[in-house]
Amino acid sequence: MTFYRTTRLMLSSAVILSFASSAFALDGNDLLKKINDAYSQQGGSIAAESVDVSGTTVTLKGASFKAAGTPDGAKLGDITFSGVAEAGGGYTIDQVAFPNVDLNKDGVAITAADLTLNGVEIPADTTKGDLDSLLFYKSAHAGAISATKDGTQVFAISNADATMTKRADNSGLDFDVKVNGITADLSKVDDPQSKLAIEQLNLKQLNGTIAMKGGWELAPGKIDITEYSFDFKDIGKLNIALSLSGYTPAFAKSLQEALKTVRSNPNQQDAQQSAGLAMLGLLQQLTFNSAQIRFDDSSITARALEFAGKQQGVTGKQLADTLKAMTPMMMAQLNVPELQNAVSTAVSTYLDNPKSLTINASPDKPVPLPMIIGAAMGAPQSIPNVIGLKVSAND
């Protein structure tokens, strides 16, 4: 009797667990739908031949990506989502692993390995306009990427990493991107004129990095890009910084809607005109805070002067002296004496001893973008004062 009761209890438990397992099983199709709901804001969609679920792992079999407005999608292969869990109607994912890329067409081969996203959050509702309604990931990684032509490597990247961090008060996020070990072989360029320039400027082998850092505060739509740099050995480092306000989630959505309208209109001429008007309306919402462009030289300037001077039958120093003499005359046409003096002084200082050249725009207070556009169209000489433009060298 005891054996009978024990057996019946075990069978009942098995049935309950079976039903519970079915009830709490992940819905892979719903996961894919919510990914597309979020990703559609960026103008694309992901499809799969089938969706397999095994415990907390979801696999999109035969996945493909299609950008809005394009007739065909790009095949991605099988995408594996590990550590998937439901979270308030949305999903959290420990890691998304993409298949390695191995493309070969017309003698050009492209490979990429170890492509992953980590700490992914898929929103339940993309319409709320807050941080939780955005597709988010804590980090992204790409391993070695290579491009070869006819068996010779012409471009490669050692690895790339990106991180995003939500601010403690959920007001925005900060991001950091680094692309390491960028190499490019320009020695195989066929065009004689380009080949000569590459050899004279010592650019046959490029080696460098690309980096980007910044943040986004959602409520005011303030985007601060503190670094967007290209740093290459024996060339120099170009860094761009920019701060704008007004790029809110609502603005981003309106921008995407305008682009969708253009893509869906069969009459592209009318679509482009409508898009232009829509963009003018959207630009009314943006405010310019500041910007900076800075170049730190690593010997490319001297080589460029020598190369350009040789084409004109003069030395690099003679060409530099000519440029220093021409700069004040060229700047005089703008009829902005203060800027003319600053640019002339900066150019002269830089060409005498190339170290750094900086263009900085920092108005006393933020300026609406339409005001800058209006000044550029009606009174271009007023632009330096409107945006607080300054130029300096070797600082």
Side-chain angles (χ1 to χ4, degrees):
M1 193 68 167
T2 301
F3 174 77
Y4 173 73
R5 285 199 300 268
T6 301
T7 303
R8 185 173 61 180
L9 179 61
M10 291 174 62
L11 289 173
S12 299
S13 299
V15 171
I16 292 171
L17 288 172
S18 176
F19 277 113
S21 176
S22 299
F24 293 105
L26 288 169
D27 186 340
N29 289 311
D30 183 63
L31 171 63
L32 178 57
K33 177 184 179 300
K34 285 188 167 60
I35 290 173
N36 279 322
D37 287 344
Y39 204 76
S40 65
Q41 303 299 317
Q42 302 178 36
S45 62
I46 296 175
E49 295 174 0
S50 65
V51 181
D52 292 354
V53 178
S54 177
T56 61
T57 300
V58 178
T59 304
L60 303 185
K61 295 283 189 178
S64 60
F65 170 77
K66 184 176 182 296
T70 58
D72 301 312
K75 293 182 178 180
L76 302 176
D78 295 350
I79 304 176
T80 304
F81 300 78
S82 304
V84 183
E86 293 187 52
Y91 295 90
T92 60
I93 306 168
D94 289 343
Q95 185 180 82
V96 181
F98 297 86
N100 292 342
V101 175
D102 190 359
L103 304 175
N104 198 322
K105 184 177 181 181
D106 299 328
V108 177
I110 299 175
T111 61
D114 196 17
L115 307 173
T116 59
L117 294 174
N118 300 284
V120 181
E121 298 177 11
I122 310 298
D125 184 355
T126 62
T127 63
K128 293 188 296 182
D130 59 10
L131 200 57
D132 292 332
S133 65
L134 301 177
L135 182 64
F136 176 84
Y137 62 85
K138 292 181 179 178
S139 65
H141 174 76
I145 299 174
S146 173
T148 62
K149 180 174 175 57
D150 298 326
T152 301
Q153 186 179 81
V154 294
F155 178 80
I157 292 173
S158 296
N159 57 72
D161 287 284
T163 61
M164 284 200 295
T165 306
K166 291 183 179 180
R167 295 175 183 172
D169 59 0
N170 231 33
S171 64
L173 55 83
D174 298 292
F175 53 86
D176 189 338
V177 181
K178 192 72 176 287
V179 183
N180 300 304
I182 302 172
T183 59
D185 183 358
L186 304 183
S187 63
K188 302 298 190 294
V189 172
D190 296 327
D191 179 67
Q193 198 167 14
S194 299
K195 192 177 186 67
L196 176 64
I198 289 169
E199 291 175 351
Q200 293 288 320
L201 293 172
N202 192 25
L203 298 177
K204 290 187 289 184
Q205 302 293 330
L206 301 183
N207 193 325
T209 61
I210 296 175
M212 178 184 274
K213 291 182 181 179
W216 182 28
E217 189 176 355
L218 270 67
K222 187 178 182 182
I223 291 183
D224 282 313
I225 299 176
T226 57
E227 178 184 3
Y228 186 24
S229 65
F230 303 80
D231 190 356
F232 283 81
K233 182 181 178 182
D234 296 329
I235 295 177
K237 180 178 181 179
L238 175 67
N239 184 55
I240 300 169
L242 176 67
S243 178
L244 293 173
S245 294
Y247 196 92
T248 62
F251 177 91
K253 185 175 182 180
S254 297
L255 183 61
Q256 290 297 333
E257 290 299 327
L259 293 174
K260 285 181 183 178
T261 301
V262 173
R263 296 187 188 106
S264 62
N265 192 333
N267 189 327
Q268 282 300 296
Q269 186 173 355
D270 288 347
Q272 293 295 338
Q273 291 177 350
S274 299
L277 293 173
M279 287 301 296
L280 285 175
L282 289 172
L283 289 176
Q284 304 286 328
Q285 304 174 41
L286 296 180
T287 301
F288 175 81
N289 300 319
S290 63
Q292 184 185 89
I293 301 174
R294 179 184 174 95
F295 178 70
D296 289 278
D297 182 72
S298 290
S299 75
I300 187 64
T301 302
R303 299 200 303 274
L305 287 171
E306 286 295 336
F307 173 72
K310 188 178 294 185
Q311 307 303 306
Q312 301 177 36
V314 298
T315 66
K317 185 180 183 309
Q318 288 172 326
L319 179 59
D321 289 339
T322 301
L323 292 174
K324 288 191 294 182
M326 290 176 58
T327 301
M329 293 183 288
M330 295 172 62
M331 293 301 301
Q333 299 177 29
L334 297 178
N335 195 26
V336 185
E338 185 178 348
L339 182 65
Q340 175 185 338
N341 293 334
V343 172
S344 299
T345 300
V347 169
S348 180
T349 301
Y350 180 78
L351 291 176
D352 283 340
N353 183 21
K355 290 184 178 179
S356 68
L357 190 63
T358 305
I359 302 172
N360 191 68
S362 184
D364 294 333
K365 60 181 181 179
V367 181
L369 211 57
M371 183 182 294
I372 298 174
I373 296 173
M377 296 174 64
Q381 70 276 8
S382 69
I383 286 291
N385 290 328
V386 171
I387 63 175
L389 186 65
K390 291 180 172 58
V391 181
S392 60
N394 299 349
D395 52 4

